[in-house]
Amino acid sequence: MLFRSNAVDTPRGLIIYCYVPSNENHEEVLIDTHKILRSVAKNNKLIHLPIIIALIFDSGEIGKIISEIDIIEKLSEQEQEMYGKVATIYASRQHEALKEYIKTALLKRSYVTTFSEDALPQRLSQMGTAVFEKIFSRVLPFPFDAYKSGRTNAAKDCAEFTRKLLFQDNFTFDDVQSMPIQQRNRITTVLRTCWKAFNIDGTIAAQPGQSSARNIVVEWDKLLYGNQELNCNKALELACAAPYGANIASAGLLFATYIQSRQNLITVVENNARVEFGTIGDRIFDGAVLDIKTIQGITLFKSENNDSEWEQLLNDWG
């Protein structure tokens, strides 16, 4: 569903413009709409949804104009020959009038969300920002230069970095330094400057310094340590859900740093068989991002005989 989307270029929120006939009770419609939104959230095991419903209450004119436009659009061929020119001009005027009536109705700001009315600003643009800030309160930053969709060169670079972290043993900042300048700048900005994912010696840190990235990693560790296993798809879902709001590219890159820094602490199992990420190869990718269907079948298990190292990780959580 839209509010569970993890694609890089798919909107996370929705504004629904809903026409309300003049014979409906305004207060009842507002109450019922709020109940419906809360019910949808509850059924999806969520508290809030990034959805705003803008109710367009009709004072009588909107419905009348819509009916007239509908009649004109359904004129028969014979009627079109008789009244076509006049009807076209009249329909054009009515379309403009309809826009004005709708604009006036929207100025009344009858907006409904899963939040209480006094918790949000009244302007629609400000309300949308506030809804996102409340739902995604710990957003994982992803300042990846020029990454606008999965079809860009930036997306290809991000996928390549993810591959290196997953497949290469002992990836360090020295490997970054040997990359072409654009790639070097991109990975340095995200991993080193923003997420603070490198140790002083250049190795990948077990816990990134950036707060949201660190919180996600800690949650992954707690699941892996507590349950003795962590499904890769569940891990990415956690990062993409509220309050972090990552996308499949940023979550995948962060997860790759997680794998890289725990190579000696985890066992990788695909469909009940022990594997290495290197042997899975490009099957794990769908274009420039991780393939959901493939990673659903991949689970990490806590390796045996590494309790001391795990205890150190637990201590690092603070």
Side-chain angles (χ1 to χ4, degrees), residues 14 22 35 40 58 70-71 104 118 131 140 164 180 183 196 201 211 223 250 265 269 285 291 295 299 301 308:
L14 186 67
S22 57
K35 286 180 179 178
V40 172
D58 188 3
D70 183 61
I71 291 172
T104 299
D118 58 357
V131 166
L140 176 69
K164 288 181 180 295
Q183 293 182 340
K196 297 177 174 58
D201 63 1
S211 59
L223 288 171
S250 59
L265 302 176
V269 173
F285 283 89
D291 180 57
I295 63 174
T299 301
F301 289 87
S308 61

Side-chain angles (χ1 to χ4, degrees), residues 187-203:
I187 195 169
T188 299
T189 299
V190 177
L191 293 191
R192 190 183 197 185
T193 306
C194 183
W195 292 353
K196 297 177 174 58
F198 286 102
N199 292 314
I200 295 176
D201 63 1
T203 57

Side-chain angles (χ1 to χ4, degrees), residues 19-38:
Y19 168 74
V20 184
S22 57
N23 62 339
E24 295 287 346
N25 181 283
H26 290 201
E27 193 62 32
E28 289 180 1
V29 170
L30 286 166
I31 293 172
D32 289 345
T33 304
H34 185 76
K35 286 180 179 178
I36 290 170
L37 278 182
R38 294 304 298 264

Side-chain angles (χ1 to χ4, degrees), residues 160-172:
E160 184 59 28
F161 302 153
T162 304
R163 284 187 180 89
K164 288 181 180 295
L165 288 162
L166 288 175
F167 302 156
Q168 181 177 322
D169 291 335
N170 303 317
F171 182 91
T172 70

Side-chain angles (χ1 to χ4, degrees), residues 133-199:
E133 287 177 346
K134 287 179 178 295
I135 293 176
F136 301 106
S137 57
R138 298 179 182 177
V139 171
L140 176 69
F142 189 52
F144 202 103
D145 180 48
Y147 201 141
K148 302 298 182 183
S149 76
R151 296 174 296 278
T152 61
N153 286 331
K156 294 176 182 177
D157 283 350
C158 186
E160 184 59 28
F161 302 153
T162 304
R163 284 187 180 89
K164 288 181 180 295
L165 288 162
L166 288 175
F167 302 156
Q168 181 177 322
D169 291 335
N170 303 317
F171 182 91
T172 70
F173 194 68
D174 287 340
D175 296 298
V176 176
Q177 296 286 62
S178 64
M179 294 178 181
I181 186 167
Q182 188 176 55
Q183 293 182 340
R184 182 169 71 243
N185 289 342
R186 282 171 169 164
I187 195 169
T188 299
T189 299
V190 177
L191 293 191
R192 190 183 197 185
T193 306
C194 183
W195 292 353
K196 297 177 174 58
F198 286 102
N199 292 314

